[in-house]
Amino acid sequence: MRNFWAAMGMAGWLAIGAASAESPVVVELFTSQGCSSCPPADHILSELARRDDVIALGLHVDYWDYIGWADSFAQPGFTKRQKSYAAAAGERMVYTPQFVVGGGERIVGAKPMEVMQAVMDLSEAPPRIEVELGREAGALLVSARRATGETAPILVQLVRYRPSSSVVIESGENAGHQLDYANVVTSWTLLGRWTGAEDLALSAPLDGDLPGAVILQEEGPGAILAAARLP
């Protein structure tokens, strides 16, 4: 797999222009250990995870489990999230691998140039929400304010993830391979809903030392308006 990516030169291309960002672009990858088409997309996510201007998240779905290998990272909630994206777009089917960039752009398959173009487009868009995070006595502090006059309801969500994991696949389509994963999502929690009419000031318990991010997203699920990594 590494030789393939080296030949294509994609890893280096994905790293071009990596820089810090006030509100990184959220890239979700719906994937599965049991899907033979997913490893190239998993590799793309690993490269994106190195960028400061991207929050790359691997969400493992469970609808491949029946084929012969139960994904050890899969959660029904992640399958539900992908189906909710499809329903919001008027689509009846879901596919793996699938990237969702910024909560809106959906890209099926391992297409690094399309993913990166979507990231660049969102990076250049003016901010719609300013968000800041802090910690105090075991609690996460979230403050935010709208940069526009919109008042649509916003979901304030906390995501935690494991930075890297390796799995030896013993059966199914990827049997006999050891697969490496980046930013494997372990939990996705709704902290609250915010109209944006007033500035947001929210406190929530924060346990453990896993990295994570706070994501502010239109209901639907819709566009992700802002995101910030845990301090």
Side-chain angles (χ1 to χ4, degrees), residues 167-179:
V167 179
V168 176
I169 310 298
E170 298 178 358
S171 59
E173 291 188 356
N174 290 318
H177 295 278
Q178 177 175 309
L179 301 180

Side-chain angles (χ1 to χ4, degrees), residues 133-142 202-207 231:
L133 306 182
R135 290 179 187 250
E136 184 177 282
L140 172 66
L141 307 178
V142 183
L202 181 151
S203 176
L206 188 63
D207 300 323

Side-chain angles (χ1 to χ4, degrees), residues 20 26 34 46 115 124 130-131 136 147 165 168-169 194 203 229:
S20 62
V26 176
S46 296
V115 172
E124 295 170 357
E130 298 173 0
V131 59
E136 184 177 282
S165 295
V168 176
I169 310 298
W194 174 48
S203 176
R229 292 182 175 85

Side-chain angles (χ1 to χ4, degrees), residues 81-183:
R81 181 169 176 81
Q82 187 184 21
K83 289 181 176 180
S84 295
Y85 272 129
E91 299 170 353
R92 302 180 64 181
M93 300 290 293
V94 293
Y95 305 90
T96 52
Q98 183 182 46
F99 291 92
V100 178
V101 182
E105 186 70 22
R106 290 170 295 279
I107 300 165
V108 175
K111 300 171 183 175
M113 298 186 72
E114 290 189 25
V115 172
M116 204 54 229
Q117 185 61 57
V119 169
M120 293 172 63
D121 290 344
L122 287 175
S123 295
E124 295 170 357
R128 298 169 65 181
I129 290 177
E130 298 173 0
V131 59
E132 294 184 0
L133 306 182
R135 290 179 187 250
E136 184 177 282
L140 172 66
L141 307 178
V142 183
S143 60
R145 59 180 293 272
R146 281 192 182 270
T148 66
E150 302 169 82
T151 58
I154 296 170
L155 305 177
V156 183
Q157 304 161 111
L158 172 62
V159 182
R160 307 296 293 273
Y161 56 84
R162 188 178 300 114
S164 62
S165 295
S166 295
V167 179
V168 176
I169 310 298
E170 298 178 358
S171 59
E173 291 188 356
N174 290 318
H177 295 278
Q178 177 175 309
L179 301 180
D180 300 324
Y181 298 98
N183 292 7

